[in-house]
Amino acid sequence: MAEKLRVGIVGASGYGGVQLVRLLLDHPRVEIAYLGANQNAGVPFGELYPQLAHRIDRVCEAVELDRIVEACSVVFLATPNGIAYTLAPGLLAGGLRVFDLSADYRFVNLETYQSWYGGDRHDAAVAREAVYGLPELYRERIRTARLVGCPGCYPTASLLAAAPLLKQGLIDPRSLIIDAKSGVSGAGRTLKTGSLFAEADSSVAAYSVARHRHIPEIEQICSDLAGMRVQVQFTPHLIPMARGMLVTLYAQLRDPGLVSEDMLTIYEAFYRQASAVRVLGSGIYPQTKWASGTNTCFIGLEVDQRTERVIVLSALDNLVKGQSGQAIQAMNLTQGWEEMLGLPAVGFYP
């Protein structure tokens, strides 16, 4: 039997970390060799998450580069923004493959990162090596990458909805409007007033209007796809549910003669080799419940011939395809394995 790949998780105690643990425990080709969590160093992981105690008996460890390099071949950095860029250079120098779930290595231009996220960056050479980890768009680059900057949840849902339109030149890029809604887990496990039950329950609210930090990430990839500078109007909303994300995209068609059936044919062809994307049939629109717990993004669309606009809807689990599952999908590519190996494609219903 082939030796299993030894993987580590830094930031194992957060929502992203526990999703990685849950998914990797069911992956047939890997072994969890290290769990890093400074605030919980010395605490058995099963005490933090008792529901997993029967599956994993590892203790959380302090984050020490030498220990990670000794224990692992691959490491996932499920840390807050601003931490990965202090760790990745040393991990790469130690011969590890690194998958960063934060925003630290998503940007081609570090000045863009610093203007939106702050921080004092001195790792430009390392950042230039990073590959944006959206498999449906950059599959071949990911296969040979040593450092993968895994996309955010909003960018994943938005870009999968927009990519065929921009790549095929079907819309006026200046008309792109993205309305996005996320479950509360997207805010992470740390205490925030807006995430409290009494604040979020029975209420829907927009936040970070015109200034959300995922805007430059979405615009960077949209510009790459369109071959020109693209700016988007992006508005996120918090929905009173634990997990799930729904994006509704609007754009002006260049060819007003296109109908919904034409557009569906284009999307089906574009995602023909994408095992994590499901393009729905005519008149079927995605629901967040369908994607819950899975690494699948569901896409539906409609052409409004009256307004000459296309409306594209995408739904995914913000913690799986929008975060940890997608990172594992990228890892699978770097190992030459089937892209969805170990990843759930069907959720619980109802």
Side-chain angles (χ1 to χ4, degrees):
M1 185 175 180
E3 183 178 354
K4 291 192 173 184
L5 183 70
R6 294 173 64 81
V7 303
I9 303 166
V10 177
S13 60
Y15 285 149
V18 72
Q19 295 302 314
L20 284 167
V21 170
R22 178 181 75 88
L23 295 168
L24 291 170
L25 284 172
D26 288 332
H27 196 294
R29 303 290 295 274
V30 307
E31 171 192 354
I32 299 175
Y34 168 87
L35 296 176
N38 275 335
Q39 292 183 342
N40 293 288
V43 179
F45 191 79
E47 286 188 16
L48 298 175
Y49 293 99
Q51 71 272 33
L52 296 175
H54 65 295
R55 293 289 311 277
I56 187 166
D57 60 2
R58 286 207 161 270
V59 173
C60 293
E61 302 181 42
V63 178
E64 298 175 351
L65 285 178
D66 289 345
R67 168 67 181 133
I68 301 170
V69 170
E70 174 192 18
C72 308
S73 298
V74 165
V75 65
F76 295 93
L77 303 180
T79 55
N81 302 315
I83 294 177
Y85 70 75
T86 69
L87 299 173
L91 295 169
L92 292 168
L96 274 64
R97 266 203 169 101
V98 178
F99 297 85
D100 174 25
L101 278 66
S102 78
D104 288 13
Y105 288 106
R106 297 174 188 165
F107 293 92
V108 173
N109 187 340
L110 286 187
E111 291 181 2
T112 304
Y113 172 89
Q114 289 173 302
S115 67
W116 287 81
Y117 291 88
D120 189 15
R121 302 287 294 262
H122 301 285
D123 59 330
V126 173
R128 281 194 294 270
E129 184 181 345
V131 172
Y132 192 71
L134 189 54
E136 289 73 22
L137 301 183
Y138 301 108
R139 183 175 287 108
E140 296 310 312
R141 297 186 199 174
I142 293 170
R143 289 189 198 279
T144 58
R146 293 198 311 149
L147 173 60
V148 176
C150 301
C153 48
Y154 281 130
T156 296
S158 300
L159 293 168
L160 290 176
L165 302 174
L166 293 167
K167 194 72 174 174
Q168 305 292 342
L170 298 172
I171 60 168
D172 178 355
R174 297 169 298 178
S175 69
L176 202 52
I177 298 172
I178 300 170
D179 178 288
K181 301 173 181 67
S182 174
V184 181
S185 60
R189 206 180 186 210
T190 54
L191 183 62
K192 299 180 182 71
T193 300
S195 302
L196 296 172
F197 178 82
E199 301 287 337
D201 185 50
S202 303
S203 179
V204 177
Y207 67 98
S208 298
V209 178
R211 55 185 173 83
H212 194 280
R213 292 193 294 186
H214 282 169
I215 291 172
E217 181 182 341
I218 294 170
E219 290 182 344
Q220 173 182 267
I221 305 304
C222 284
S223 299
D224 183 46
L225 292 168
M228 60 179 287
R229 183 168 179 261
V230 174
Q231 290 184 306
V232 303
Q233 197 71 62
F234 175 81
T235 305
H237 303 76
L238 191 69
I239 298 291
M241 59 187 185
R243 62 200 300 160
M245 177 166 289
L246 180 70
V247 158
T248 306
L249 175 153
Y250 306 88
Q252 200 74 33
L253 288 168
R254 280 182 164 154
D255 179 359
L258 285 173
V259 296
S260 297
E261 288 72 19
D262 300 327
M263 199 64 73
L264 281 171
T265 299
I266 292 167
Y267 269 72
E268 287 165 356
F270 190 90
Y271 289 120
R272 184 174 56 249
Q273 304 299 324
S275 51
V277 176
R278 292 286 174 267
V279 179
L280 302 170
S282 179
I284 303 173
Y285 312 119
Q287 300 179 25
T288 56
K289 186 181 287 288
W290 300 351
S292 183
T294 79
N295 196 58
T296 301
C297 176
F298 292 91
I299 294 178
L301 61 83
E302 199 69 59
V303 170
D304 187 340
Q305 292 183 289
R306 184 181 63 86
T307 61
E308 299 179 356
R309 293 191 183 98
V310 61
I311 303 116
V312 185
L313 305 101
S314 65
L316 52 73
D317 187 317
N318 58 295
L319 296 175
V320 187
K321 179 58 177 168
Q323 190 187 41
S324 299
Q326 182 149 258
I328 294 171
Q329 186 182 352
M331 178 199 70
N332 285 340
L333 283 170
T334 66
Q335 300 301 313
W337 299 335
E338 197 282 318
E339 204 166 305
M340 288 285 280
L341 184 66
L343 293 169
V346 178
F348 291 107
Y349 188 88

